[in-house]
Amino acid sequence: SLTKYMEADPTLLSLGAGLPHPSTFPFAQIGAHVAPAGASVANTAPADMLNVSVTTSSGAIEGLGKFLQYGNGRGVPSYAAFTREHTHRVHDPKYVDWDTVVSLGNTDAFVKALMLFYTSGDTLLVDEWTYPAIIGTVVPMNIQLAPVRMDAEGMVPEALDHVCTNWTGERKLRMVYTIPTAQNPTGATMSIARKRAIYAVAQKHNLVIIEDDPYYYLQFEPYTADSENRYTNLPGITSLVPSLLSLDTDGRVIRLDSFSKVLAPGLRCGWVTAPKYITDKIQFHNETSIQQPAGVSQAIVASLMNEQWGHSGWERHLVQIQRDYAMRRDLFVDLCLKHLNGLVEFTVPDAGMFLWFRVLLKPELQGQTGVMQRVFDSMVANHVLLVPGYMFSPKGAEQK
């Protein structure tokens, strides 16, 4: 990539890269009004909003000429530097040669990580219920899915070991994909003991782990019916359950992070943490596909994190988000316990956005073909949309 020479020498006069001249960009300033750290937009007066502004001149971050120009697949330096520093502060990877690289979010990152190791005909280990976009991604690539049994904490280590030990496929199993926090769709969150056990199985069978963790910062206290004592011990950053990345001594975890759930999904900003030889390859893939997240998005995030909030403000914002989702969780669970008692079973999640119902059908309805479709159609008719469980199954229509 020729961009490495331009990055290394800012005075280099490039006559061959086809870069539009920054003087032709019609943008003098790009910005946003943002709530102070720890506050919400709804509860902040206009006069108290922070002004996040990026102009053509350089300050603590690059100017617009840099953010709006073509760049390499690593991301604009101030944005990329924040992701590295934040990863070091929160996860403190236990091996030396790690790095981060930008993504457009975790699905984009998953595809690029998968393509480094997998080709048509391979098999990917996944939770027995998993994120539908992953199923939709791998099926056209002719990659098979091997589901692993779950419990209230997510993937069961003994089940993962059993699948790997008894594997008879022509090609070796090389990778396991999991969402360890607030798993989509079950809402299950792995404890630190569960993560250690999963990691030990990965070491035993030499598996790469894709740790897809977009809900990592949406952790909160266990549900309590005592409404007066809720929201008193939100974890912020310092009390989060340690990540699989933080346990990784071998460089076998590829961690996917995103701003989608904690800032806004439309920004399309995320990052991957992995051994540098992997992030280097994802960088090259970026350069032939997305290049990097949109410069406008990177500019807003970089200014917010480096100039306005900083790491301490970022943590105050996360506490506010945790409180908001904990309140939503508690209200929803209160209503479910009041109105759905005896109709469904569910485990109350300690993180994230999801409640996973097991519908308790009347005996005369059990085993009837199409009964869950009738339940779904009835909900839609009453202006409520829930996702049928079979859509999360690697077995697809078999579960319908």
Side-chain angles (χ1 to χ4, degrees):
S1 172
L2 295 176
T3 56
K4 64 183 179 182
Y5 301 104
M6 293 181 281
E7 296 289 340
D9 181 6
T11 66
L12 185 71
L13 181 62
S14 173
L15 301 178
L19 305 181
H21 198 276
S23 66
T24 67
F25 301 164
F27 304 97
Q29 180 179 353
I30 290 174
H33 289 158
V34 180
S40 66
V41 171
N43 296 323
T44 303
D48 296 328
M49 291 288 182
L50 299 178
N51 183 31
V52 174
S53 178
V54 183
T55 65
T56 55
S57 60
S58 297
I61 64 171
E62 300 81 358
L64 282 181
K66 182 73 171 179
F67 282 107
L68 298 183
Q69 186 57 274
Y70 290 120
N72 68 26
R74 213 90 196 178
V76 177
S78 60
Y79 174 95
F82 177 84
T83 67
R84 282 192 295 272
E85 184 178 350
H86 173 77
T87 299
H88 175 69
R89 290 165 65 103
V90 175
H91 305 287
D92 189 22
K94 300 302 185 290
Y95 59 96
V96 176
D97 196 23
W98 66 273
D99 204 354
T100 63
V101 62
V102 296
S103 74
L104 292 187
N106 286 15
T107 303
D108 168 61
F110 165 76
V111 171
K112 286 167 181 166
L114 184 74
M115 291 178 69
L116 290 176
F117 295 88
Y118 272 55
T119 188
S120 175
D122 286 335
T123 300
L124 175 69
L125 291 153
V126 296
D127 296 305
E128 67 175 316
W129 305 102
T130 194
Y131 179 39
I134 299 305
I135 301 172
T137 296
V138 303
V139 169
M141 300 169 68
N142 194 33
I143 292 172
Q144 311 304 312
L145 295 174
V148 179
R149 182 169 56 85
M150 302 173 67
D151 64 12
E153 284 194 36
M155 185 176 287
V156 175
E158 294 80 7
L160 177 62
D161 183 49
H162 177 81
V163 172
C164 293
T165 300
N166 294 280
W167 182 249
T168 58
E170 293 183 3
R171 299 186 186 181
K172 183 180 178 181
L173 295 169
R174 295 195 296 274
M175 181 178 283
V176 55
Y177 167 85
T178 190
I179 304 172
T181 308
Q183 197 261 358
N184 185 353
T186 67
T189 294
M190 291 186 185
S191 65
I192 182 62
R194 174 62 57 90
K195 290 179 179 179
R196 289 194 178 105
I198 290 289
Y199 188 79
V201 175
Q203 288 181 307
K204 176 181 177 180
H205 296 283
N206 196 24
L207 300 172
V208 173
I209 301 173
I210 296 187
E211 181 180 28
D212 186 358
D213 225 357
Y215 312 102
Y216 183 66
Y217 302 102
L218 303 185
Q219 298 181 41
F220 25 80
E221 309 108 307
Y223 172 82
T224 173
D226 181 5
S227 60
E228 292 185 3
N229 291 313
R230 291 172 173 174
Y231 327 125
T232 56
N233 295 298
L234 295 166
I237 287 177
T238 57
S239 299
L240 295 168
V241 178
S243 63
L244 284 161
L245 174 66
S246 72
L247 305 176
D248 185 17
T249 55
D250 305 336
R252 68 177 63 253
V253 174
I254 301 175
R255 178 175 172 83
L256 316 183
D257 277 291
S258 172
F259 287 110
S260 291
K261 307 302 186 293
V262 288
L263 284 180
L267 289 170
R268 305 316 304 143
C269 284
W271 71 98
V272 180
T273 307
K276 192 173 184 302
Y277 77 93
I278 290 177
T279 60
D280 284 347
K281 290 179 171 61
I282 293 176
Q283 174 185 342
F284 298 147
H285 193 164
N286 282 346
E287 289 170 1
T288 60
S289 55
I290 65 165
Q291 276 222 336
Q292 53 183 257
V296 172
S297 294
Q298 287 191 83
I300 291 173
V301 174
S303 176
L304 187 62
M305 299 303 176
N306 292 289
E307 297 179 322
Q308 297 287 350
W309 285 355
H311 288 281
S312 61
W314 173 230
E315 180 167 4
R316 291 196 300 276
H317 170 73
L318 291 176
V319 170
Q320 166 65 24
I321 295 293
Q322 289 166 359
R323 181 178 294 108
D324 188 285
Y325 278 102
M327 293 172 65
R328 294 173 183 275
R329 186 273 312 265
D330 290 349
L331 175 60
F332 191 61
V333 170
D334 289 345
L335 293 171
C336 290
L337 292 174
K338 179 179 179 181
H339 297 288
L340 299 181
N341 187 34
L343 299 176
V344 298
E345 292 178 343
F346 60 91
T347 299
V348 179
D350 292 337
M353 302 176 172
F354 306 114
L355 208 61
W356 181 241
F357 290 131
R358 179 176 180 267
V359 180
L360 302 177
L361 294 173
K362 296 178 180 179
E364 62 268 23
L365 294 176
Q366 294 177 13
Q368 284 191 19
T369 302
V371 65
M372 290 308 299
Q373 185 64 47
R374 286 158 50 196
V375 172
F376 176 78
D377 293 341
S378 179
M379 288 189 297
V380 171
N382 286 277
H383 314 291
V384 177
L385 180 65
L386 275 71
V387 184
Y390 73 86
M391 292 186 176
F392 300 96
S393 173
K395 297 180 181 178
E398 295 176 30
Q399 294 289 337
K400 190 171 181 179

